[in-house]
């Protein structure tokens, strides 16, 4: 295929990325350099004052909590998704389709509704809480809602498909005879999985981590509905600045920081992969 | 010493299908043994049971007198060369070969030496740092053999190891496999559907059909003295003619009636009796085409016919000769015609003859 044709073929996706990603992201970053306007918009001219305000305000605990929560969610999601993906490719075709549907169908329900469902499940009078109390798993006065645990639980629930689907895709490409080969060469079942299957699906693991981590970083609905005031994440702060304080430049500055925090590592990963790819070919 | 590896009345069912149906085999130490049969005959299932990936529903597998039927694959002194090789894509050639030693906890210095020796055996010293994706089919094959042999298995299992290679490379690797077997002396069990591979690699072959053993014999005996129609048809080409036993003579000679083709004399290993229905089997290369009628003595069978097709294969030619209702396949070396000058052509009337020792009467009832 000629270079010209290649360029032509990538044009639609390039245009899409430009209109729906690059330009909006650029606008957000630009907004961070505007002075704030008391009426709720952005003022005229350019200034570094907003960034200074952001730096002065003590966001460190929130940033720390955001990163920690995202990391924990990612770790839990991938840990759960690994065995799920492994078994998905091994079960019979009919079962596999059923299970995949079960994973995907909840997605078709509105996200807010699902969060509210969790809210009512975890409520002291909710089904889940009541069942757990009756089963003697938790104490009668246990609070399952409005704490970090609830936030983590719903974060994991929401993002699990983002981990399962890329891992399933990777696991499907994995050649199962390799596990036989490892067993044949003296590896026990677990050692074969760790030594051959995990490296075999490592691209899926990386994709799953990025998907879950990036999506969790920007979360604000879940902490707001099932978390307490001490469980706020950076997303909540951005919402508050934008909709509560009507300070768009301040919110944009925070959003830009979050954007960079995601884009820079991803860019580095891509570069590293490319360098390694070249090395492997030569 | 025929009891090195014993497969004793082993049965394996998948649902209602008996993939392996009460098979018993005894394999000697150092032997190169083939499991030959069409796809679905149970040869791969049998191999997987020896390797430990499947457990027999009935029967036992004994290695050097020890019952290994229920041992998991990682605890059997048996290694496998997999179909499509199953090399670990994330490891280098060297790491692939060293995998088993690492699992066994072999000390690092010794492991390196053994890997180096294997690299030398399969002539892959220069490729040690490469990944499997960078290797050709033949090279992958060699790594797969080295990766299995480095563990010094009591038995090496090879599952259709040449199926993924092209013809030229297959013939080359066939030679190499033979040489490797000669050098290491390990017992080889070789699964294939290709009778050519089985014949040129094995000391003995078990021909499998529908989960059962049809015949276990040396390649030459299988070819020259097949016990059943199935074996005769599967190992090499053959002409089959319906025949009725007329007279059983001493020393395994029988005279049969072949409808319009007269009453030829042939050999058999079967306990036949007069009047029985059977089949007469003659290999294409055992038939001789001549323009003159050969002197029809007591021991020569002669049929007259017309050549309907000639195919040139270089070293040999293949003829189809129509004799009455029967189309006979005849193969003759090119140099057989050197003295007479010309090769008989299509439409020519010729005589097809063969010696009784070159034809066999096999059972008619076996399927295939």
């Amino acid at each position: 295929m000629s270079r010209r044709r290649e360029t032509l073929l990538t044009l639609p996706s390039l245009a899409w990325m430009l209109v729906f990603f690059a330009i909006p992201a650029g606008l957000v970053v630009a907004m961070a350099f505007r002075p704030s306007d008391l009426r709720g918009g952005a003022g005229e001219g350019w200034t570094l004052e907003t960034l200074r305000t952001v730096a002065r305000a003590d966001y460190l605990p929130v940033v720390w909590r955001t990163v920690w929560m995202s990391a924990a969610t990612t770790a839990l999601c991938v840990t759960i998704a690994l065995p799920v993906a492994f078994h998905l490719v091994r079960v019979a075709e009919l079962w596999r389709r059923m299970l995949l549907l079960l994973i995907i169908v909840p997605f078709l329900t509105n996200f807010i509704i699902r969060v509210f469902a969790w809210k009512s499940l975890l409520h002291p009078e909710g089904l889940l809480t009541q069942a757990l109390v009756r089963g003697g798993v938790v104490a009668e006065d246990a609070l399952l809602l409005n704490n970090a645990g609830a936030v983590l639980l719903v974060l994991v629930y929401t993002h699990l498909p983002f981990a399962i689907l890329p891992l399933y895709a990777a696991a499907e490409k994995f050649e199962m005879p390799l596990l036989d080969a490892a067993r044949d060469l003296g590896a026990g079942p677990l050692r074969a999985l760790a030594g051959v299957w995990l490296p075999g699906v490592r691209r899926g693991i990386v994709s799953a981590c990025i998907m879950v981590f990036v999506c969790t970083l920007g979360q604000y609905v879940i902490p707001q509905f099932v978390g307490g005031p001490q469980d706020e994440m950076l997303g909540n702060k951005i919402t508050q600045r934008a909709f509560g304080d009507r300070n768009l430049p301040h919110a944009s500055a925070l959003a830009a920081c979050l954007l960079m925090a995601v884009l820079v590592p991803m860019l580095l990963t891509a570069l590293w992969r490319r360098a390694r790819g070249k090395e492997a070919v030569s | 010493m025929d009891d090195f590896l014993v497969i004793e009345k082993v049965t394996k069912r998948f649902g209602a299908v008996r993939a392996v149906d009460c098979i018993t085999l005894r394999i000697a130490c150092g032997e190169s043994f083939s499991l030959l049969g069409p796809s679905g005959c149970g040869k791969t299932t049998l191999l997987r049971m020896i390797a430990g990936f499947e457990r027999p529903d009935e029967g036992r597998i004994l290695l050097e007198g020890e019952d290994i039927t229920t041992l998991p694959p990682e605890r059997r002194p048996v290694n496998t060369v997999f179909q499509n090789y199953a090399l670990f894509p994330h490891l280098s050639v060297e790491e692939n070969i060293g995998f088993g030693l690492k699992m066994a906890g072999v000390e690092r210095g010794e492991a390196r030496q053994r890997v180096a020796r294997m690299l030398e055996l399969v002539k892959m010293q220069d490729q040690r740092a490469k990944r499997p994706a960078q290797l050709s089919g033949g090279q992958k094959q060699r790594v797969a053999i080295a990766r299995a042999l480095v563990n010094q298995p009591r038995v090496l299992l090879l599952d259709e190891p040449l199926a993924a290679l092209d013809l030229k490379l297959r013939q080359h690797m066939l030679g190499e496999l033979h040489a490797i077997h000669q050098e290491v002396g390990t017992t080889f069990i070789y699964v294939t559907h290709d009778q050519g591979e089985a014949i040129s690699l094995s000391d003995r072959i078990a021909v499998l059909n529908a989960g059962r053993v049809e015949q276990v014999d040396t390649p030459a005996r299988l070819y020259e003295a097949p016990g059943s129609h199935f074996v005769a048809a599967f190992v090499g080409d053959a002409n089959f003619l319906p025949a009725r036993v007329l007279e059983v003579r001493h020393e395994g000679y029988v005279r049969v009636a072949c409808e319009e083709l007269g009453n030829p004399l042939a050999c058999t290993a079967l306990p036949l009796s007069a009047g029985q229905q059977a089949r007469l089997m003659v290999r294409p290369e055992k038939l001789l085409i001549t323009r003159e009628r050969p002197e029809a003595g007591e021991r020569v069978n002669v049929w007259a016919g017309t050549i309907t097709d000639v195919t040139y294969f270089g070293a040999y030619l293949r003829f189809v000769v129509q004799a009455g209702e029967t189309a006979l396949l005849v193969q003759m070396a090119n140099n057989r015609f050197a003295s007479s000058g010309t090769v008989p052509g299509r439409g020519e009337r010729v005589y097809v003859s063969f010696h009784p020792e070159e034809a066999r009467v096999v059972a008619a009832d076996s399927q295939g």
Side-chain angles (χ1 to χ4, degrees):
Chain A
M1 202 188 296
S2 73
R3 196 130 265 242
R4 225 179 107 87
R5 234 179 96 103
E6 264 174 43
T7 320
L8 269 174
L9 279 174
T10 50
L11 266 184
S13 35
L14 271 179
W16 177 275
M17 286 293 283
L18 192 72
V19 173
F20 293 105
F21 175 72
I23 293 177
L27 287 176
V28 168
V29 173
M31 183 71 85
F33 295 94
R34 293 284 192 178
S36 61
D37 183 335
L38 286 176
R39 278 165 306 171
E44 289 298 309
W46 301 97
T47 174
L48 287 175
E49 186 51 37
T50 319
L51 285 182
R52 281 195 207 107
T53 324
V54 170
R56 243 178 279 134
D58 191 11
Y59 282 118
L60 210 59
V62 179
V63 168
W64 174 240
R65 191 180 309 128
T66 307
V67 171
W68 190 87
M69 274 296 208
S70 305
T73 307
T74 309
L76 281 171
C77 279
V78 172
T79 311
I80 298 169
L82 278 171
V84 172
F86 180 75
H87 287 290
L88 265 179
V89 296
R90 283 168 66 102
V91 295
E93 179 70 27
L94 194 72
W95 270 102
R96 174 164 52 221
R97 279 196 210 155
M98 287 264 294
L99 292 170
L100 276 173
L101 267 180
L102 283 178
I103 293 163
I104 296 165
V105 162
F107 251 140
L108 304 176
T109 319
N110 184 288
F111 168 58
I112 305 286
I113 293 175
R114 279 183 288 139
V115 176
F116 265 98
W118 272 108
K119 202 175 159 79
S120 69
L121 277 175
L122 295 172
H123 191 272
E125 242 103 86
L127 260 173
L128 187 63
T129 314
Q130 288 297 311
L132 289 177
V133 168
R134 227 163 281 146
V137 181
V138 296
E140 202 141 330
D141 54 353
L143 288 177
L144 300 182
L145 200 57
N146 300 331
N147 55 35
V151 176
L152 194 61
L153 175 69
V154 180
L155 278 175
V156 169
Y157 159 78
T158 308
H159 294 99
L160 201 51
F162 292 108
I164 292 176
L165 294 178
L167 274 172
Y168 167 68
E172 208 179 23
K173 285 193 208 102
F174 181 81
E175 286 180 57
M176 280 299 174
L178 292 180
L179 281 181
D180 280 351
R183 294 290 299 278
D184 188 68
L185 293 166
L190 282 177
R191 211 158 170 202
L193 279 177
V196 177
W197 191 74
L198 281 185
V201 298
R202 69 186 184 286
R203 276 171 182 274
I205 297 176
V206 172
S207 303
C209 285
I210 291 176
M211 291 286 280
V212 176
F213 190 75
V214 167
C215 290
T216 321
L217 270 186
Q219 259 301 334
Y220 65 94
V221 174
I222 293 169
Q224 187 171 333
F225 283 126
V226 300
Q230 74 289 347
D231 302 317
E232 281 186 334
M233 290 166 66
L234 203 52
N236 297 96
K237 292 291 176 199
I238 298 173
T239 338
Q240 284 158 22
R241 296 296 157 267
F243 301 117
D245 306 356
R246 314 274 289 153
N247 189 340
L248 276 187
H250 194 116
S252 297
L254 282 177
C257 289
L258 201 55
L259 197 64
M260 290 306 148
V262 172
L263 277 186
V264 171
M266 275 180 76
L267 208 69
L268 288 177
T269 320
L271 284 175
W272 177 71
R273 266 193 189 179
R274 183 185 258 188
R276 262 193 50 155
K278 269 191 190 143
E279 183 190 311
V281 169
S282 64
Chain B
M1 202 52 225
D2 230 23
D3 295 344
F4 182 71
L5 178 69
V6 179
I7 293 153
E8 203 178 80
K9 294 179 185 158
V10 164
T11 297
K12 177 74 186 176
R13 282 179 289 261
F14 292 115
V17 183
R18 282 169 174 261
V20 170
D21 192 0
C22 198
I23 283 185
T24 298
L25 290 172
R26 291 168 184 278
I27 294 160
C29 186
E31 194 172 17
S32 176
F33 193 92
S34 282
L35 302 172
L36 175 67
S39 59
C41 71
K43 57 190 192 298
T44 297
T45 306
L46 188 56
L47 193 84
R48 288 179 63 81
M49 286 194 283
I50 301 171
F53 299 122
E54 309 278 356
R55 199 162 287 184
D57 294 320
E58 286 157 36
R60 297 193 302 166
I61 298 171
L62 302 150
L63 180 60
E64 292 178 286
E66 191 200 341
D67 189 340
I68 60 163
T69 319
T70 55
L71 280 187
E74 63 268 23
R75 290 181 46 207
R76 298 187 182 203
V78 169
N79 286 110
T80 310
V81 175
F82 290 85
Q83 197 171 4
N84 301 318
Y85 324 125
L87 298 179
F88 304 126
H90 63 292
L91 299 179
S92 69
V93 166
E94 221 169 6
E95 290 164 330
N96 261 287
I97 299 176
F99 190 90
L101 300 177
K102 199 170 141 191
M103 292 300 126
V106 173
E107 184 261 323
R108 216 177 254 206
E110 192 202 329
R112 198 170 306 149
Q113 271 181 15
R114 280 166 69 174
V115 169
R117 232 178 296 144
M118 276 299 138
L119 283 166
E120 200 180 321
L121 178 73
V122 297
K123 305 185 195 76
M124 289 286 288
Q125 297 101 311
D126 303 337
Q127 323 284 334
R128 62 176 68 207
K130 283 193 178 167
R131 294 281 169 102
Q134 298 165 272
L135 301 178
S136 70
Q139 290 172 328
K140 283 183 195 166
Q141 166 77 83
R142 294 201 186 112
V143 177
I145 293 168
R147 184 179 69 171
L149 278 179
V150 75
N151 308 295
Q152 297 169 346
R154 309 296 293 144
V155 178
L156 182 72
L157 307 174
L158 301 107
D159 186 7
E160 302 262 5
L162 305 181
L165 305 177
D166 60 57
L167 184 66
K168 200 84 185 164
L169 199 53
R170 204 179 309 162
Q171 282 166 349
H172 179 74
M173 285 308 298
L174 215 60
E176 276 191 30
L177 270 176
H178 193 72
I180 288 171
H181 179 248
Q182 297 289 315
E183 182 158 345
V184 297
T186 308
T187 307
F188 275 35
I189 299 180
Y190 189 91
V191 157
T192 182
H193 64 274
D194 185 312
Q195 42 104 5
E197 283 175 21
I199 284 179
S200 50
L201 265 176
S202 332
D203 300 326
R204 283 194 306 153
I205 300 173
V207 180
L208 268 57
N209 180 27
R212 288 171 170 275
V213 176
E214 287 272 337
Q215 191 173 354
V216 185
D217 229 320
T218 62
R221 293 274 307 160
L222 278 182
Y223 190 81
E224 305 292 344
S228 68
H229 179 202
F230 179 85
V231 173
F234 198 77
V235 182
D237 293 316
N239 295 294
F240 290 101
L241 293 93
R244 189 166 46 82
V245 179
L246 287 177
E247 168 193 6
V248 182
R249 297 190 180 181
H250 60 284
E251 292 161 1
Y253 286 97
V254 259
R255 188 168 285 286
V256 291
C258 287
E259 290 166 16
E260 81 264 18
L261 291 176
N263 304 333
L265 194 63
C267 286
T268 193
L270 301 174
L272 296 168
S273 52
Q276 216 174 323
Q277 281 299 324
R279 278 167 195 263
L280 180 70
M281 189 280 294
V282 204
R283 301 273 182 208
E285 77 280 5
K286 308 281 189 192
L287 292 171
L288 181 71
I289 288 180
T290 47
R291 290 195 172 92
E292 315 295 324
R293 186 178 183 98
E295 281 172 39
E298 160 79 348
R299 302 177 66 82
V300 181
N301 306 300
V302 183
W303 292 328
T306 311
I307 295 176
T308 55
D309 196 26
V310 185
T311 317
Y312 182 73
F313 283 94
Y316 60 92
L317 295 121
R318 282 199 155 188
F319 301 87
V320 180
V321 179
Q322 193 71 38
E325 295 288 299
T326 314
L328 295 165
L329 186 65
V330 182
Q331 177 175 315
M332 283 180 71
N334 210 350
N335 56 12
R336 294 285 280 272
F337 301 104
S339 53
S340 64
T342 55
V343 174
R346 195 178 298 186
E348 217 170 308
R349 294 282 303 170
V350 290
Y351 294 95
V352 175
S353 58
F354 58 97
H355 289 281
E357 293 79 20
E358 293 169 337
R360 297 200 68 88
V361 178
V362 295
D365 50 5
S366 70
Q367 71 273 52

